[in-house]
Amino acid sequence: MSTRLLVSIRKTADALPASAPETAVVRLVSILPGDWVVRPAGNTSSTATLAVTAPDGTPAPQALRTVDDALSTPPMHGWIRG
Protein backbone atom coordinates (compact mmCIF):
# COMPACT_ATOMS: atom_id res chain seq x y z
CA MET A 1 0.00 0.00 0.00
CA SER A 2 1.24 3.48 -0.85
CA THR A 3 2.06 5.97 1.87
CA ARG A 4 -0.08 9.10 1.56
CA LEU A 5 0.73 12.17 3.60
CA LEU A 6 -0.43 15.75 3.78
CA VAL A 7 2.75 17.82 4.03
CA SER A 8 2.95 21.55 4.71
CA ILE A 9 6.01 23.65 3.97
CA ARG A 10 6.54 27.20 5.10
CA LYS A 11 8.82 30.09 4.29
CA THR A 12 11.42 31.02 6.91
CA ALA A 13 13.09 34.35 7.60
CA ASP A 14 16.02 33.13 5.45
CA ALA A 15 13.89 32.97 2.29
CA LEU A 16 14.14 35.65 -0.33
CA PRO A 17 11.27 38.14 0.06
CA ALA A 18 9.91 37.29 -3.41
CA SER A 19 10.05 33.54 -2.79
CA ALA A 20 6.63 32.18 -3.70
CA PRO A 21 5.04 28.97 -2.41
CA GLU A 22 4.17 27.92 -5.96
CA THR A 23 7.83 28.08 -6.95
CA ALA A 24 8.85 26.17 -3.82
CA VAL A 25 6.38 23.41 -4.71
CA VAL A 26 7.80 23.07 -8.23
CA ARG A 27 11.33 22.91 -6.84
CA LEU A 28 10.39 20.36 -4.20
CA VAL A 29 8.64 18.14 -6.76
CA SER A 30 11.76 18.21 -8.95
CA ILE A 31 13.95 17.11 -6.02
CA LEU A 32 11.74 14.31 -4.66
CA PRO A 33 12.12 10.82 -6.19
CA GLY A 34 10.51 10.48 -9.60
CA ASP A 35 8.19 7.68 -8.53
CA TRP A 36 6.49 9.87 -5.91
CA VAL A 37 3.19 11.59 -6.68
CA VAL A 38 2.81 15.14 -5.39
CA ARG A 39 -0.33 17.22 -5.75
CA PRO A 40 -0.85 20.76 -4.50
CA ALA A 41 -3.51 20.95 -1.79
CA GLY A 42 -3.48 24.69 -1.08
CA ASN A 43 -1.27 27.61 -0.24
CA THR A 44 -1.05 31.02 1.37
CA SER A 45 1.52 33.75 0.76
CA SER A 46 4.07 31.91 2.93
CA THR A 47 2.97 28.25 3.02
CA ALA A 48 2.10 25.39 0.71
CA THR A 49 0.31 22.17 1.50
CA LEU A 50 0.93 19.10 -0.64
CA ALA A 51 -0.62 15.66 -0.89
CA VAL A 52 2.42 13.38 -1.16
CA THR A 53 2.20 9.71 -2.13
CA ALA A 54 5.35 7.63 -1.68
CA PRO A 55 5.71 4.17 -3.27
CA ASP A 56 4.39 0.97 -1.72
CA GLY A 57 6.30 -0.11 1.35
CA THR A 58 7.61 3.35 2.26
CA PRO A 59 6.94 3.92 5.97
CA ALA A 60 5.58 7.38 6.84
CA PRO A 61 8.67 8.34 8.93
CA GLN A 62 10.94 7.49 5.99
CA ALA A 63 8.76 9.49 3.62
CA LEU A 64 8.95 12.51 5.92
CA ARG A 65 12.75 12.13 6.17
CA THR A 66 12.90 12.14 2.36
CA VAL A 67 10.86 15.35 2.27
CA ASP A 68 13.10 16.90 4.95
CA ASP A 69 16.22 15.85 3.02
CA ALA A 70 14.82 17.50 -0.12
CA LEU A 71 14.05 20.65 1.85
CA SER A 72 17.65 20.78 3.08
CA THR A 73 19.05 21.15 -0.47
CA PRO A 74 20.18 24.55 -1.79
CA PRO A 75 17.18 25.10 -4.11
CA MET A 76 14.89 24.88 -1.07
CA HIS A 77 16.83 27.40 1.03
CA GLY A 78 14.36 29.30 3.20
CA TRP A 79 11.69 26.58 3.28
CA ILE A 80 11.00 24.00 5.97
CA ARG A 81 8.35 21.45 6.75
CA GLY A 82 5.88 22.65 9.32
Side-chain angles (χ1 to χ4, degrees):
M1 176 179 237
S2 299
T3 300
R4 294 186 180 116
L5 303 167
L6 202 56
V7 176
S8 293
I9 61 173
R10 66 180 172 85
K11 189 188 309 190
T12 69
D14 295 334
L16 294 174
S19 185
E22 298 85 357
T23 304
V25 168
V26 171
R27 287 180 180 158
L28 182 59
V29 168
S30 73
I31 297 166
L32 288 172
D35 56 348
W36 287 39
V37 177
V38 181
R39 291 192 171 92
N43 65 282
T44 68
S45 62
S46 62
T47 67
T49 303
L50 312 161
V52 176
T53 304
D56 291 350
T58 306
Q62 180 183 346
L64 291 174
R65 277 193 304 276
T66 301
V67 171
D68 289 341
D69 288 346
L71 288 168
S72 72
T73 63
M76 297 305 302
H77 179 79
W79 290 88
I80 61 171
R81 184 168 56 91

